[in-house]
Amino acid sequence: MLDHQKPSIGRIVHYVSYGTPGGEYPKACRAAIVTQVLPEDPEHKDFVVGLCVMNPTGFFLNPEIEYGEGEETDEDNDLCDHMDYPGGSWHWPARV
Ligand SMILES: [Zn+2]
């Protein structure tokens, strides 16, 4: 299953940017390159990675980002498969 593929350095994944609380900016999927993969940890069901996130207006680096599972939602959004993902998490890009 693609979702449980082990991430490796240099792979491209999605990072979910936080939207603004007032909803002026919704959450968005951003392209990100895996910069490190933390050792497997029983507390996390999926891998924790470091990412270089490529926002349209600049780069953002974070050494420790948790995997975020997509959840069904009725809300309209532009995230992968119109699922809801936690802000500040990563996932594999959906096939389109
Ligand atoms: Zn995505």
Side-chain angles (χ1 to χ4, degrees):
M1 183 70 189
L2 193 65
D3 276 352
H4 295 282
Q5 206 177 318
K6 183 180 163 139
S8 56
I9 293 165
R11 293 292 300 278
I12 292 189
V13 299
H14 279 185
Y15 170 80
V16 182
S17 65
Y18 291 96
T20 49
E24 296 92 338
Y25 294 96
K27 286 189 234 178
C29 286
R30 299 298 186 206
I33 295 177
V34 176
T35 55
Q36 68 173 353
V37 180
L38 276 72
E40 288 184 64
D41 175 347
E43 274 185 38
H44 301 287
K45 62 182 160 70
D46 271 294
F47 293 93
V48 178
V49 300
L51 293 180
C52 173
V53 181
M54 291 164 280
N55 291 297
T57 52
F59 289 101
F60 159 68
L61 296 160
N62 190 313
E64 204 171 323
I65 295 179
E66 291 193 32
Y67 180 84
E69 197 81 52
E71 286 180 14
E72 301 279 346
T73 177
D74 293 333
E75 276 175 49
D76 196 23
N77 68 39
D78 290 327
L79 305 180
C80 286
D81 292 333
H82 300 288
M83 305 263 271
D84 189 30
Y85 292 87
S89 68
W90 75 270
H91 57 267
W92 294 108
R95 286 161 197 253
V96 287

